[in-house]
Amino acid sequence: MSADEAAWLDAAVSRLIPQDDMGPGARELGVTLFIDRQLAGAYGRAERWYMAGPWSKGSDSQGYQSRMTPAQMYRAAIKAIDVYCRGKFGGKPFVELSTEQQDTVLGELEEGKAKLQNVDAKAFFKQFLLNTQEGYFADPMYGGNKDMAAWKMIGFPGARYDYRDFVGQHGKRYPLPPVAIYGRPDWSSKA
């Protein structure tokens, strides 16, 4: 991912899940890194997907329907969105827009109102929102959810080996800190 693409992702994920009084936002939790790692791997190359057509437009319920791999779609979409923004906002790319303007653009993508060259705006937004949510709540070993902050915020125990004693205790906050797949930083002197 280029520096410009990373800056675009930082700005956009910050609008989807902004930092607020409840907790950190997507940028603060490393969602850009999560998405970058996913796009650089098997997911980004669509290695386990059927990618041989036919290429007719699918319905909203059919999931990902594109001849582009996710990595190709992100590259094309980020470029096309910047072209769209430059045309609509006096030559400014997405990252230079005000937060209100960024929200407007993201809303237009979500509704399919933004016409992008070579990319279905609505399909891209759907995939981008999903990837942002995944990165926000993923195990930290994948790059997002830094310090398990999203898990702490919602009281999720993480990859703890056993929490059966707490399953039936509805309405009570889980008292133990979450555990990632790699453990907890305080379990190792290498933390």
Side-chain angles (χ1 to χ4, degrees), residues 116-135:
L116 305 179
Q117 187 175 359
N118 301 323
V119 180
D120 180 316
K122 192 171 185 176
F124 170 71
F125 181 85
K126 183 178 178 180
Q127 198 66 33
F128 174 55
L129 176 60
L130 176 65
N131 295 151
T132 300
Q133 293 167 332
E134 290 167 343

Side-chain angles (χ1 to χ4, degrees), residues 96-185:
E96 292 179 15
L97 301 179
S98 69
T99 56
E100 293 80 16
Q101 291 169 323
Q102 289 175 344
D103 289 347
T104 297
V105 170
L106 291 172
E108 290 169 351
L109 295 173
E110 180 178 25
E111 295 168 12
K113 291 180 180 177
K115 301 303 176 211
L116 305 179
Q117 187 175 359
N118 301 323
V119 180
D120 180 316
K122 192 171 185 176
F124 170 71
F125 181 85
K126 183 178 178 180
Q127 198 66 33
F128 174 55
L129 176 60
L130 176 65
N131 295 151
T132 300
Q133 293 167 332
E134 290 167 343
Y136 194 75
F137 291 109
D139 191 280
M141 74 182 282
Y142 299 109
N145 194 11
K146 184 178 179 183
D147 299 326
M148 297 175 270
W151 292 355
K152 291 173 188 172
M153 183 174 59
I154 64 172
F156 179 65
R160 190 171 286 281
Y161 70 94
D162 185 9
Y163 49 92
R164 287 175 289 175
D165 294 343
F166 301 98
V167 171
Q169 297 183 29
H170 303 287
K172 285 181 144 182
R173 187 152 181 88
Y174 184 71
L176 302 174
V179 176
I181 290 172
Y182 58 73
R184 293 194 45 76

Side-chain angles (χ1 to χ4, degrees), residues 10-44:
D10 266 347
V13 300
S14 293
R15 300 313 309 144
L16 295 181
I17 306 176
Q19 182 172 356
D20 61 16
D21 295 340
M22 294 293 293
R27 177 178 29 203
E28 291 78 22
L29 293 193
V31 171
T32 297
L33 176 61
F34 170 85
I35 293 173
D36 182 40
R37 286 181 178 175
Q38 294 303 306
L39 294 177
Y43 166 78

